[in-house]
C-alpha cells in the first residue's frame, strides 16, 4: 500500500518504519526540514533502540517531504501530530493544520487519526473538513516503541464506515492481535481511559510505597510482586519510584479531567493520581534533606538520569527534570548525568557532568531514571549515600549507603 504519515515524531517515525518494514511504500511528511534531511540520509532524529537499523533497512521504501503534495496518491494517510494540553484543554492547532494541508492534495485517501484526541474530536473534524475520519489510537511506549508497534496487545479502530474500518484493519493485519472495531468516540476514550488507568496504577503503588516507609519489615517491591501475580491485577506498572512523566501521561490525565469537568463530571480517582504524582518530588526533596543534615542549600547533589524513563532521550514531562529544578531553587549544588539525554540548559549552566564526575562531586546521589547503566554504580560510588528511587543497583556493597524508597529508612 501507499501509506502517508504526517508527523514524524516518536510515534510517527516508528509507525512509518514498522509499516515500511511490512513492505508498504511510505510517504512521510514533517514540517521540520532538518528532520527530513537527516532521515533522508538514514540518520535517526531520536533515540529509540533498533531505530537506526530499521531506518536503513527500509530507506528505499521511504519518500520524505515537508509538503503534503507528496501525498497525492496515498491510499491511507495517518495523522500523527502533537495534541498538546494548553490551559488544561487539548489544543487542535497541529491537527487542523495537517488536515487542511492534506485535503488540498488528496481528497480520496482514508484519513486515520493516531494523535490522542478527546471523544467527539473525529466527528468535529469530519464535519469541519467534509471527510470521514478513522480513529486508531496508539499504545506504544518510548524505549520499546518498535516492539510495541509490531506486537501490540490490541488494535483499536473507530469510525462510521465499515469498508474504511476494514481497510485500516488490513494495514495492521500482520500483528495478528485482537481488533476492536467501534465508533470514533469509543476509540478516542479507550486511549484516555487506558493511559489514565496506567498512571493511576503507578500512583497507587507509590502510595503503598509511602506506607511501607512507615512500617518495619515492609518492602514495596515484594508487596508489588505479590500483588502482580494475581492475573486480575497483573505485574505491569507497579514499579514505585519518582512517579510518572513523559509526553503522554501528564498531559492526558490533565486533559481527561478537564474534559470531564466540561461535562459536569469529576474524575476523582484520576485527580488523586495526579496529586500523588506531584507529591513524589517534594517527598524526595524531604528525604534528601534528611540525609544532608536538614538543609539543601549549598549541599552537593548528583542526579543520575534526566530522561523521563530509561531507553529514551526524551525529557518531556520528566520527573527528574522537575526534581532538579526544585533542588536548584532551594540552593543545592546540583550535578547531572544521563547516558543519552542531554539538556542544553544544563550544559550552559555547567550542571552537566560525566557519570564519574557527577558522582565524585556529590555528597548525595539520586538515581532518578531506571537506566541499566546505573546498576553497577556501587563500584564507583564508594562511601556515597544514594537515593535509588527505582531500585536499580544490583549488589549493595558495604561501601555505599543506599536509601530505600518504599521501605523503612534505617540509615
Ligand atoms: C505511555 C503509555 O504506556 C503508552 O501506551 C502511550 O501510548 C504513551 O504513553 P510512555 O510515556 O512512552 O508510554 O512510557 P511508559 O512506559 O508508559 O512510562 C510512563 C511513565 O511512568 C515513565 O515516567 C515511567 O518511568 C513511569 N513508570 C512506568 C513508573 O514509574 N512505574 C511503572 O511501573 C511504569
Amino acid at each position: 500500500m501507499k501509506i502517508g504519515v504526517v508527523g514524524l515524531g516518536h510515534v510517527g517515525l516508528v509507525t512509518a518504519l514498522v509499516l515500511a518494514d511490512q513492505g508498504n511504500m511510505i510517504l512521510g511528511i514533517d514540517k521540520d526540514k532538518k528532520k527530513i534531511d537527516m532521515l533522508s540520509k538514514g540518520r535517526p532524529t531520536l533515540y529509540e533502540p533498533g531505530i537506526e537499523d530499521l531506518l536503513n533497512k527500509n530507506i528505499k521504501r521511504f519518500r520524505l517531504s515537508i509538503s503534503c503534495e507528496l501525498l497525492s496518491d496515498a491510499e491511507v494517510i495517518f495523522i500523527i501530530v502533537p495534541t498538546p494540553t494548553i490551559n488544561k484543554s487539548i489544543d487542535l492547532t497541529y491537527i487542523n493544520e495537517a488536515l487542511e494541508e492534506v485535503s488540498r492534495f488528496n481528497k480520496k485517501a482514508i484519513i486515520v487519526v493516531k494523535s490522542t484526541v478527546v471523544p467527539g474530536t473525529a466527528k468535529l473534524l469530519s464535519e469541519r473538513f467534509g471527510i470521514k475520519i478513522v480513529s486508531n489510537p496508539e499504545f506504544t511506549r518510548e524505549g520499546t516503541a518498535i516492539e510495541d508497534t509490531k506486537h501490540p496487545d490490541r488494535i483499536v479502530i473507530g469510525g462510521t464506515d465499515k469498508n474504511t474500518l476494514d481497510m485500516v484493519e488490513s494495514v495492521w493485519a500482520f500483528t495478528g492481535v485482537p481488533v476492536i472495531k467501534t465508533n470514533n468516540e469509543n476509540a478516542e476514550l479507550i486511549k484516555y481511559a487506558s493511559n489514565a488507568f496506567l498512571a493511576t496504577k503507578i500512583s497507587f503503588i507509590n502510595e503503598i510505597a509511602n506506607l511501607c516507609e512507615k512500617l518495619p519489615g515492609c518492602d514495596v517491591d515484594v508487596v508489588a510482586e505479590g500483588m502482580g501475580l494475581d492475573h486480575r491485577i497483573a505485574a505491569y506498572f507497579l514499579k514505585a519510584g519518582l512517579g510518572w512523566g513523559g509526553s503522554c501521561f501528564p498531559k492526558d490525565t490533565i486533559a481527561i479531567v478537564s474534559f470531564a469537568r466540561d461535562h459536569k463530571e469529576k474524575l476523582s480517582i484520576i485527580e488523586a493520581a495526579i496529586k500523588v504524582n506531584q507529591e513524589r518530588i517534594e517527598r524526595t526533596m524531604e528525604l534528601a534533606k534528611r540525609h544532608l543534615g536538614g538543609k539543601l542549600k549549598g549541599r552537593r547533589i548528583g542526579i543520575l538520569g534526566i530522561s523521563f524513563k530509561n531507553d529514551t532521550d526524551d525529557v518531556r514531562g520528566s520527573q527528574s527534570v522537575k526534581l532538579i529544578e526544585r533542588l536548584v531553587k532551594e540552593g543545592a549544588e546540583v550535578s547531572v548525568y544521563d547516558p543519552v539525554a542531554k539538556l542544553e540548559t544544563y550544559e550552559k549552566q555547567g550542571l552537566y557532568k560525566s557519570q564519574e564526575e557527577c558522582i565524585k562531586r556529590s555528597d548525595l546521589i539520586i538515581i532518578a531514571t531506571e537506566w541499566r547503566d546505573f546498576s553497577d554504580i556501587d563500584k564507583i560510588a564508594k562511601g556515597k549515600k544514594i537515593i535509588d528511587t527505582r531500585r536499580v543497583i544490583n549488589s549493595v556493597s558495604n561501601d555505599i549507603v543506599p536509601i530505600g524508597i518504599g521501605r523503612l529508612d534505617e540509615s
Side-chain angles (χ1 to χ4, degrees):
M1 258 190 227
K2 268 200 172 167
I3 298 179
V5 177
V6 180
L8 296 171
H10 220 110
V11 179
L13 182 58
V14 172
T15 304
L17 288 173
V18 169
L19 291 178
D21 205 40
Q22 291 302 313
N24 297 294
M25 182 70 197
I26 299 298
L27 311 167
I29 310 292
D30 200 287
K31 285 200 300 197
D32 185 347
K33 186 164 181 319
K34 260 206 301 214
K35 213 180 248 185
I36 296 294
D37 290 345
M38 272 181 79
L39 291 173
S40 308
K41 290 181 194 134
R43 283 168 45 210
T45 43
L46 47 90
Y47 180 85
E48 181 68 39
I51 202 153
E52 190 158 9
D53 290 348
L54 201 60
L55 174 61
N56 285 296
K57 185 177 163 210
N58 292 290
I59 202 137
K60 56 184 181 306
R61 280 193 285 272
F62 243 58
R63 281 169 57 204
L64 298 157
S65 175
I66 52 164
S67 161
C68 287
E69 202 173 345
L70 185 69
L71 300 176
S72 58
D73 59 349
E75 296 154 82
V76 176
I77 299 173
F78 284 92
I79 309 289
I80 318 185
V81 295
T83 45
T85 304
I86 294 181
N87 294 331
K88 300 193 175 180
S89 290
I90 175 174
D91 174 42
L92 296 178
T93 308
Y94 298 117
I95 229 170
N96 277 321
E97 278 173 13
L99 287 176
E100 205 154 296
E101 173 93 352
V102 166
S103 54
R104 278 179 57 208
F105 298 105
N106 189 326
K107 293 197 168 31
K108 292 191 307 259
I110 296 173
I111 306 293
V112 187
V113 169
K114 255 198 177 301
S115 306
T116 303
V117 289
V118 292
T121 306
K123 188 159 184 274
L124 182 99
L125 296 172
S126 296
E127 286 162 6
R128 185 173 297 161
F129 292 96
I131 48 173
K132 280 192 183 127
I133 288 180
V134 176
S135 307
N136 177 211
E138 55 80 26
F139 303 98
T140 59
R141 293 160 297 173
E142 289 185 22
T144 50
I146 296 171
E147 277 310 297
D148 285 357
T149 307
K150 284 204 282 199
H151 307 289
D153 287 340
R154 78 304 207 183
I155 299 285
V156 176
I157 310 174
T160 50
D161 174 66
K162 185 179 175 316
N163 288 341
T164 50
L165 292 187
D166 290 347
M167 179 88 161
V168 176
E169 184 179 15
S170 73
V171 172
W172 296 112
F174 72 92
T175 60
V177 298
V179 178
I180 302 265
K181 284 193 269 183
T182 180
N183 57 30
N184 293 99
E185 292 75 17
N186 281 329
E188 290 166 329
L189 189 53
I190 287 169
K191 168 71 191 239
Y192 276 101
S194 301
N195 270 0
F197 185 82
L198 290 171
T200 303
K201 205 174 166 187
I202 301 167
S203 283
F204 181 90
I205 201 67
N206 279 333
E207 278 211 311
I208 297 296
N210 293 348
L211 179 61
C212 287
E213 284 166 19
K214 302 277 159 57
L215 305 177
C218 284
D219 180 332
V220 71
D221 289 331
V222 181
V223 175
E225 190 186 353
M227 287 169 65
L229 287 170
D230 185 327
H231 285 96
R232 294 167 303 174
I233 298 173
Y236 310 101
F237 286 68
L238 279 183
K239 182 100 184 172
L242 202 52
W244 35 271
S247 62
C248 294
F249 286 178
K251 87 170 167 63
D252 292 349
T253 44
I254 288 174
I256 195 66
V257 161
S258 124
F259 177 76
R261 278 181 185 260
D262 292 343
H263 290 77
K264 310 269 176 288
E265 285 298 334
K266 184 171 158 63
L267 300 180
S268 330
I269 294 176
I270 305 175
E271 285 185 23
I274 296 171
K275 185 164 176 283
V276 168
N277 203 53
Q278 285 162 349
E279 287 165 2
R280 299 312 287 162
I281 307 293
E282 291 311 311
R283 279 189 78 95
T284 311
M285 301 270 294
E286 280 308 310
L287 190 59
K289 205 178 195 173
R290 264 208 318 274
H291 285 273
L292 289 168
K295 66 171 200 166
L296 292 167
K297 195 165 185 327
R299 297 293 194 237
R300 303 184 314 163
I301 301 178
I303 305 288
L304 296 181
I306 58 174
S307 56
F308 83 94
K309 62 183 269 191
N310 55 315
D311 288 332
T312 179
D313 60 350
D314 199 344
V315 294
R316 286 176 293 175
S318 164
Q319 291 283 90
S320 172
V321 169
K322 287 187 192 133
L323 177 66
I324 294 166
E325 281 165 6
R326 285 286 294 114
L327 289 169
V328 169
K329 203 166 163 211
E330 291 295 318
E333 276 181 38
V334 179
S335 306
V336 305
Y337 168 76
D338 189 286
V340 176
K342 297 255 163 15
L343 264 180
E344 217 180 291
T345 40
Y346 294 162
E347 283 172 327
K348 273 194 193 140
Q349 292 167 23
L351 302 187
Y352 200 88
K353 309 283 177 209
S354 69
Q355 178 169 279
E356 285 70 19
E357 213 189 333
C358 180
I359 292 170
K360 206 169 79 194
R361 294 169 65 99
S362 309
D363 303 318
L364 175 82
I365 295 155
I366 303 179
I367 301 179
T369 309
E370 205 175 339
W371 283 100
R372 220 168 301 122
D373 306 48
F374 304 147
S375 305
D376 291 324
I377 66 153
D378 56 319
K379 296 189 181 75
I380 48 172
K382 285 188 193 309
K384 300 280 183 179
K385 286 184 173 182
I386 304 178
I387 301 182
D388 184 1
T389 69
R390 310 262 173 187
R391 277 92 59 228
V392 295
I393 300 177
N394 273 337
S395 60
V396 175
S397 71
N398 291 332
D399 292 332
I400 65 162
V401 189
I403 299 157
I405 277 205
R407 50 184 180 244
L408 190 68
D409 182 12
E410 286 164 317
S411 52

